[in-house]
Every structure is written in structure tokens, then in C-alpha cells.
Amino acid sequence: MAGVTVSNLVKTYPSGSRRATDDVSLEVADGEFLVLVGPSGCGKTTLLRMVAGLETPDGGTVSIGGRDVTALPARDRRLSMVFQSYAIFPHLRVRENIGFGLTMRKVPKPEWESRVRRAAALLDLEDLLDRYPAQLSGGQRQRVAVARAIVVDADVLLMDEPLSNLDALLRMQFRAELKKIVARLGTTTLYVTHDQAEAMSLGDRVAVLRDGRIAQLGPPMDVYDRPAERFVGGFLGAPPMNFFLATVHDGRLVVDEQRSLPAPAVLGAWQDRKILVGVRAERLGVGVPDGLTAEVEVAEPTGAAVLLTVRWPAGELKVQAGPGFRAAPGDRITLTFPPGPCASSTRTPPWPCRSAEPGRHRGQPFGWIQMLRYWTLLPWSWRRIAPVDGPSAMLPPVTPLISTLSWTFTPFHTTVMRAFSVFVPAAS
């Protein structure tokens, strides 16, 4: 097994007016499962193909296991790949498809048989070895493609949207199988998808790409709970994060003349300033007395919950209510917003920061804050202010012991909290 290091990768297609990947750098640890997720055209497949050796970068380097492979052909990189279209041979039986890579390597027949049977057993294909692809279901064909990739014992496994051709039920089933298989193998894996559910459920870490750049990199729940910018909050999550404007005034977030919410204590510095607030649908309380009034526009029962689209003075909100909640279009309901966690936090945090420094991906610690990242035994009840396009800034929670305020003004700052996100413009 081996780690993967991508340094300052740049790729521009001849017919393109912008870069497909724009100075992308990241590290994948040995045995890590990293998911590249983003909308169509964000550069995730291009990045994967450059790691695979199927595309040549205009600039930057790719290293696998500490070895620079940028100029090496794909066959010499000791990796395997699962393609979106399966790419299994229709004229070969399942066993011959699985063993195709071994055949190309001229592996002796006894070893060839042993490794093919081992891969088939791992993916529950033992009873299908003598069938042709036309006799298989979509899920079985996908398992054949994965078996062919893992049978060669490559250092790195690359997967390019391997589940996108499956229906919803098969996709969910195979997702769980795939996670177990990769965990058992311990192979370093790069996985590309546009499906946020796959990204959240499969990866040890998630890299969210936008316009050829990494918008945010981190553990799935950290990225979900603490988005570094509005795009990440709006892209991850079903439904996406709600956003609305409010003004900070005397400890309240004022939405209009009649409506206001309690403001987190960290926002005191933005007195009488307009900010952008983000809140997840599942964080909103429904039907609680003394809440803010909203009108239901659409109610969508999903079985495990009821998704409401409601209208209030600040615009439209998505609200996730319990499965027993009943509402019809035109009904008026009350909403409660999560209180700012800083107001009740009394625990001393570590506070790693985000960096948007040129040449470094967001999520890297820097400066004196680097030593604090190792305080892993302390409760993670910290609050962060991180900029979108400037040096990092951080604000710890107000506690009896700590009332420190430290930030660097930039054109735009982002305060992101576990339940309640506030995007704050800095002073001009």
C-alpha cells in the first residue's frame, strides 16, 4: 500500500477557457479512503485521471508511495481503476474479466486461479464465474469491475463514479458492501462522485471541489457541520443549508421589525452589521410555542421525516420535521432556531484554523495554532471564524476562563458552528 501526494496540479484542456484543475494540492494517507465530490465540471474526474496517468498535467506533480510518477505511464504506477461504465469485456466470462489484469502480467495459472477465486469470494461472485456479462444484473456487473480492480493487489485503488449507473436501492446496498470491502483490504482509495450521500457515508475524508479548486477538505461530519464557505453548505446536505440575511443588534439577530433571534455571543463585534446566517433543516424546531411564524408552501413526506418548504419574511426555508408531523399548504406553523452554542459552552477547546494561503489547501493549520491541533483529548466545543479568501482567523467560545478574541480582518469572514452558521462581512 502507499500514500498519494498531489502537488500544485494544473490542467487546461485545449478547447477550454478556464483551468479544469487550478493548482490543486492534497495528501492521501496510506490506507485512507478519500472522496472527491463536487458538481459536474468541477475537475474531480480530471484530477483522478491525472493520478491514474490517463491525463498529462500542464503543471505540478503526482507521487505514489513517495515516488514521483508524473511522467510514468499508467501501467507502471501500480494502481487499478474502476470506471463509471464498468468497462468489462462482453465476450469474456466473469472469471476471465476478473483475471484480465493478471493475464496481462503473465501471472502463472495456479496463482491466477487462486487470486481470481479469492476476489470472487470477497465480492460474492463465486457462483457467477462461468457466466457472461449479458447474463448479469447491473449490480453484479459492478461487482465484477471492482473484483477486477482489487485482484491485482495494486497500491492505490481509483474509482470514478462506480455506482452512478445503479438504481437507488442497488446503489445503497452496494455502497455498504464497498465500504466493508475497502476496509478489509486497507487499500489507499480515491473515489470520485457527485452524490453527496456517497461522499458522506464512504470517505474517511471528503474533498469538496469547485471550479477546479478544493473548497474544503476534512472528515465528512466536520465538512457538513462546519462549512468553510456558502458553496459547501449549499452543496452538501439534502436539503441544502438554509441561508438568510439578518442584522446583529443588542444580542439579537434582527430579521425584520417584528422578528428576531438570539445571537451567538461571538457576534458582538458585528453590532448593527448585516450578516448571512446559515442553518440546517434538521436543526429547526417545528410547532414549538413562542416560535417565529411561517407559512407552509409544500409538505413532502419521506417516510423517516417530513420535509417542509415554508415561507417567512426572510424568504424560503427548508425544514425537516418528524414523521408524525402533519401540515398542508397554507398552514401556519411556528419555528424555533438553534441557540448559538457559544452562549452555553463552558469547555476549553482546541481551535484548529483554516488556511486559504496560496499554494495550501484549506484545512491546513498554520503558525502557533499548529501546536493546538494535538489537544485531541479535550472536548471539541470550539467555534471558528475562517475566511473565504484570506488569512485564517479564529474566535474561541466565551467561557469563564477564556474570553480571547483573535482575528484578522479580510474582505469576508465566515463563522461556522455545529448547528448555526453565520457568514460575516468584515469592516471595510
Side-chain angles (χ1 to χ4, degrees):
M1 308 307 169
V4 177
T5 302
V6 170
S7 301
N8 308 113
L9 274 191
V10 174
K11 177 68 176 179
T12 304
Y13 290 106
S15 59
S17 58
R18 62 180 178 83
R19 291 176 171 181
T21 59
D22 190 2
D23 198 34
V24 173
S25 297
L26 61 85
E27 291 189 16
V28 187
D30 185 7
E32 182 181 14
F33 195 132
L34 178 71
V35 178
L36 305 174
V37 64
S40 298
C42 69
K44 55 189 185 294
T45 295
T46 299
L47 178 58
L48 192 77
R49 289 174 62 85
M50 285 191 286
V51 173
L54 302 177
E55 296 283 355
T56 303
D58 299 331
T61 61
V62 177
S63 297
I64 299 177
R67 179 177 63 132
D68 189 342
V69 299
T70 311
L72 291 181
R75 65 177 179 272
D76 296 330
R77 298 193 180 197
R78 289 193 53 78
L79 46 78
S80 57
M81 188 165 181
V82 180
F83 295 90
Q84 181 178 355
S85 60
Y86 311 151
I88 57 178
F89 301 106
H91 65 290
L92 299 180
R93 297 180 189 273
V94 168
R95 70 170 69 249
E96 294 157 344
N97 266 291
I98 293 175
F100 183 79
L102 302 178
T103 302
M104 293 295 100
R105 289 169 170 80
K106 296 182 169 58
V107 172
K109 189 65 173 178
E111 183 184 350
W112 188 97
E113 285 286 352
S114 173
R115 289 169 67 172
V116 167
R117 287 194 173 277
R118 188 169 66 245
L122 194 61
L123 284 127
D124 196 24
L125 292 169
E126 291 172 295
D127 297 334
L128 307 175
L129 288 175
D130 293 321
R131 293 191 187 181
Y132 287 98
Q135 299 170 303
L136 303 178
S137 68
Q140 290 168 340
R141 292 178 194 174
Q142 188 60 74
R143 291 207 297 272
V144 172
V146 174
R148 183 180 58 188
I150 67 176
V151 75
V152 295
D153 293 331
D155 291 337
V156 178
L157 178 60
L158 307 178
M159 297 190 177
D160 185 11
E161 304 202 40
L163 309 186
S164 61
N165 291 329
L166 304 181
D167 61 45
L169 182 59
L170 271 177
R171 192 160 56 241
M172 184 174 64
Q173 292 172 345
F174 193 74
R175 191 171 69 209
E177 291 179 21
L178 182 63
K179 188 166 186 175
K180 288 189 293 184
I181 291 165
V182 173
R184 195 179 310 168
L185 293 171
T187 306
T188 305
T189 303
L190 271 75
Y191 186 103
V192 163
T193 182
H194 65 275
D195 187 317
Q196 53 190 284
E198 284 179 30
M200 295 289 293
S201 62
L202 288 174
D204 298 322
R205 286 190 302 160
V206 172
V208 183
L209 275 75
R210 179 190 189 190
D211 296 334
R213 289 179 172 269
I214 296 177
Q216 189 169 356
L217 174 65
M221 289 311 299
D222 281 0
V223 175
Y224 180 83
D225 288 333
R226 294 179 286 273
E229 59 187 58
R230 179 172 182 170
F231 166 76
V232 176
F235 181 78
L236 280 185
M241 180 175 275
N242 296 297
F243 297 99
F244 60 90
L245 292 171
T247 302
V248 180
H249 182 72
D250 292 339
R252 307 283 296 179
L253 292 174
V254 180
V255 179
D256 63 15
E257 294 180 358
Q258 286 80 35
R259 295 167 180 83
S260 65
L261 315 167
V266 296
L267 296 180
W270 283 272
Q271 175 73 9
D272 296 325
R273 299 291 303 280
K274 185 159 284 195
I275 62 173
L276 182 65
V277 180
V279 61
R280 293 285 182 190
E282 65 271 19
R283 304 289 188 179
L284 294 167
V286 184
V288 180
D290 302 324
L292 297 179
T293 302
E295 182 179 340
V296 176
E297 292 188 336
V298 180
E300 303 172 71
T302 62
V306 177
L307 181 61
L308 304 173
T309 303
V310 304
R311 176 72 56 180
W312 73 313
E316 184 180 278
L317 290 177
K318 296 289 187 180
V319 182
Q320 185 170 299
F325 187 82
R326 297 291 179 266
D331 289 352
R332 300 187 71 79
I333 61 174
T334 56
L335 303 176
T336 55
F337 287 73
C342 292
S344 58
S345 175
T346 59
R347 292 176 290 181
T348 304
W351 41 83
C353 292
R354 303 191 178 280
S355 170
E357 188 177 326
R360 302 171 69 184
H361 62 265
R362 288 187 177 90
Q364 254 181 306
F366 75 104
W368 62 270
I369 294 173
Q370 188 164 7
M371 66 180 181
L372 298 177
R373 67 183 297 188
Y374 301 107
W375 292 10
T376 56
L377 297 180
L378 295 175
W380 278 57
S381 178
W382 49 273
R383 310 294 171 252
R384 177 190 303 164
I385 292 181
V388 173
D389 290 308
S392 290
M394 174 277 302
L395 186 61
V398 177
T399 73
L401 299 178
I402 299 176
S403 58
T404 308
L405 184 63
S406 172
W407 70 74
T408 304
F409 283 111
T410 61
F412 189 77
H413 280 74
T414 307
T415 303
V416 183
M417 290 169 247
R418 184 170 292 276
F420 196 54
S421 300
V422 186
F423 296 76
V424 186
S428 56

